[in-house]
Amino acid sequence: MISDGMADALRSLRLGGGDPALVCARALGLEGVALSLLVGEDRAAEPLWCRPGPSERFEELQFTLGEGPGPDAVRTGLTVLEPDLRRVHPGRWPVLLPLAREMGVQGVGCFPLGVGAVRVGVLTVLCDEDRRLSEQQCADATALAAALTGAFLNVEQRGGASGDGNVSGLGMVLQWPSGLHRAVVHQATGMISVQLGVPMDVALLRLRAHAYGSERPLGEVAEDVVARRLRFNDDFDDDKSGLYSPDGGKG
C-alpha cells in the first residue's frame, strides 16, 4: 500500500502541478529522484527530469561510465535495490562505486518503467548517509514507476506527445523532452568511429574513457568532438594532446 504522501504526489502529477522531481522527492523523503526515458533507435536513456544535486551528477556518471544500477535495470527489466553501496561487491560497478560514495550516495534504487520486454525508462532514487531505503519508500517508488509506465506507454501507443509538448496518460501531464540531450554524444561517436576506423561501440568506449580521464561531463567532450576542437588519434591516451583541431576545423 502506498503512503498518503505518495498518493498526494500522484494526484499532483495528474494535475500537472509543481516540479515533478521535487514533488516525488518530498513524497519519498529521499535526497535524490531522477526519471530517464529510453529514446531513439538505440533506446538510450534520456533524462526527463531530476532533482538538482546528487541525482543529476549520478545520472551523468552512469551515462559516462556505461555502468551502474540504472543500466542494469534497463537491461534486465528488474528493479535494482542497493540500500548500502559499501556492501556491493567492488567488481559489480568497479568505477562507479567509489565515485558514488565520494558524492555522498549511500543507497540507490532503480525501478524500470515497462511491461514485459517493453522498456520505456527508469526511475532512480538515491539516499544519503542519513537515510536508508525503507519498505514503504520502495513500495511508493514502485507505485510511482507503475504510474509513469502507464502514462508513457499510453503516449507511445498514440504515437507520441501532444502538440503542446506534454505527455498525457492516465490524466498525468509531464513535459516530454524537447530535444535529445544525448544526440551530440551519438554524433561524436560516429565521428570518432570514422577517425579511428573502429566500430561504434569501440568509439563510444574511447569517448567515455576520455571523459572519465579528463574528469569532464561526457556531453561536453562530445561537443568538442562535434565542433572539431578535439580529434581522436590512434594513441589511446587522447588527453595528452588536449583540445585541438589539427585540420583547422575542416575535418
Side-chain angles (χ1 to χ4, degrees):
M1 180 178 295
I2 68 173
S3 66
D4 292 341
M6 180 51 65
D8 291 339
L10 291 176
R11 281 191 290 269
S12 176
L13 289 175
R14 291 188 183 100
L15 296 173
D19 178 354
L22 181 58
V23 168
C24 294
R26 285 176 175 172
L28 291 167
L30 292 173
E31 176 65 23
V33 177
L35 173 65
S36 293
L37 297 184
L38 304 182
V39 298
E41 294 182 0
D42 59 355
R43 307 298 283 170
E46 188 75 21
L48 182 61
W49 45 253
C50 63
R51 190 173 184 183
S55 283
E56 190 173 14
R57 296 194 299 272
F58 190 80
E59 290 297 289
E60 180 66 35
L61 183 62
Q62 288 194 105
F63 185 75
T64 297
L65 300 176
E67 67 177 37
D72 283 2
V74 170
R75 177 176 52 83
T76 65
L78 301 174
T79 297
V80 178
L81 288 176
E82 292 296 345
D84 189 349
L85 292 181
R86 294 172 299 183
R87 297 180 178 273
V88 177
H89 190 280
R92 186 174 184 184
W93 305 310
V95 184
L96 179 134
L97 284 173
L99 296 175
R101 289 194 290 266
E102 287 179 10
M103 291 165 46
V105 176
Q106 175 74 15
V108 60
C110 290
F111 302 81
L113 275 61
V115 177
V118 178
R119 313 268 198 276
V120 295
V122 59
L123 174 71
T124 301
V125 299
L126 305 178
C127 56
D128 56 23
E129 295 179 357
D130 298 327
R131 297 179 177 88
R132 296 289 296 271
L133 286 169
S134 67
E135 291 185 7
Q136 184 61 66
Q137 287 169 322
C138 289
D140 284 348
T142 300
L144 175 60
L148 292 168
T149 295
F152 291 114
L153 282 178
N154 192 27
V155 169
E156 286 197 345
Q157 290 172 358
R158 295 203 311 271
S162 60
D164 59 4
N166 287 333
V167 172
S168 301
L170 302 178
M172 189 175 297
V173 181
L174 296 171
Q175 191 66 33
W176 191 266
S178 59
L180 300 183
H181 303 295
R182 306 302 192 194
V184 66
V185 174
H186 303 306
Q187 185 178 355
T189 300
M191 293 176 65
I192 295 170
S193 175
V194 173
Q195 290 170 8
L196 299 178
V198 297
M200 292 285 286
D201 57 344
V202 176
L204 180 57
L205 286 175
R206 289 289 297 271
L207 180 63
R208 282 174 164 157
H210 185 102
Y212 174 69
S214 59
E215 298 183 348
R216 300 176 61 210
L218 185 62
E220 287 187 4
V221 177
E223 288 175 357
D224 284 335
V225 173
V226 172
R228 295 180 171 82
R229 293 188 294 266
L230 173 63
R231 183 181 178 89
F232 281 64
N233 53 43
D234 290 332
D235 296 325
F236 184 79
D237 184 10
D238 297 297
D239 289 327
K240 68 181 182 180
S241 56
L243 298 181
Y244 72 108
S245 181
D247 53 8
K250 298 180 181 178

